[in-house]
Amino acid sequence: MSMGDVAGLIAAVAFVLLVGLLAIPLVKLGRVLDEATRSIREVTEHSVPILDEAATTVASTNDQLVKVDTITTSAAQVSENVSALAGLYASTLGRPLVKVAAFSYGVRQAFARASRSSRDDAKAGR
């Protein structure tokens, strides 16, 4: 064996060692990638039912919101009807009742003055 052969053999052994040392991290990286693939597959398998349930929940919520909108519209109509009825009551019964109350107040005041003046006359005649 010549010096060139020995140098070639040393270079070949060094290259094999270098490839061996680099192969270990590459194998570990392959395992990590396999595990990541497995994890992604599991997440995907579990995410699909959750997304289906979320879609069902959103659809159900939309149905309930339509019902709430109907109820709100009905409540607004009832409120308008009550307001109109109150206005009608105030205009038809409220004003005459105010007039009757004012008239009765005036009558009471008149009777009170008449009563006072008759008492004053009775006191003055004593």
Side-chain angles (χ1 to χ4, degrees):
M1 279 199 20
S2 72
M3 237 7 195
D5 291 336
V6 173
L9 187 59
I10 292 174
V13 170
F15 184 73
V16 168
L17 288 176
L18 180 64
V19 168
L21 288 175
L22 290 176
I24 294 171
L26 288 175
V27 169
K28 288 183 179 182
L29 180 63
R31 288 181 190 156
V32 167
L33 290 175
D34 289 341
E35 193 64 34
T37 304
R38 223 177 280 122
S39 297
I40 291 171
R41 187 176 298 121
E42 287 178 13
V43 167
T44 303
E45 289 173 358
H46 293 295
S47 296
V48 171
I50 291 171
L51 291 175
D52 290 340
E53 288 179 25
T56 303
T57 302
V58 168
S60 174
T61 302
N62 284 338
D63 291 341
Q64 295 299 321
L65 286 175
V66 168
K67 291 177 184 177
V68 168
D69 187 43
T70 303
I71 291 169
T72 304
T73 303
S74 297
Q77 289 174 350
V78 167
S79 175
E80 288 175 11
N81 291 340
V82 167
S83 176
L85 184 63
L88 179 65
Y89 173 77
S91 65
T92 57
L93 297 176
R95 289 185 187 135
L97 284 177
V98 168
K99 289 179 181 179
V100 167
F103 178 74
S104 66
Y105 178 75
V107 169
R108 279 186 281 152
Q109 291 298 321
F111 279 132
R113 285 185 189 154
S115 167
R116 265 189 258 132
S117 68
S118 67
R119 271 190 257 147
D120 290 341
D121 289 344
K123 284 184 185 176
R126 276 190 191 175

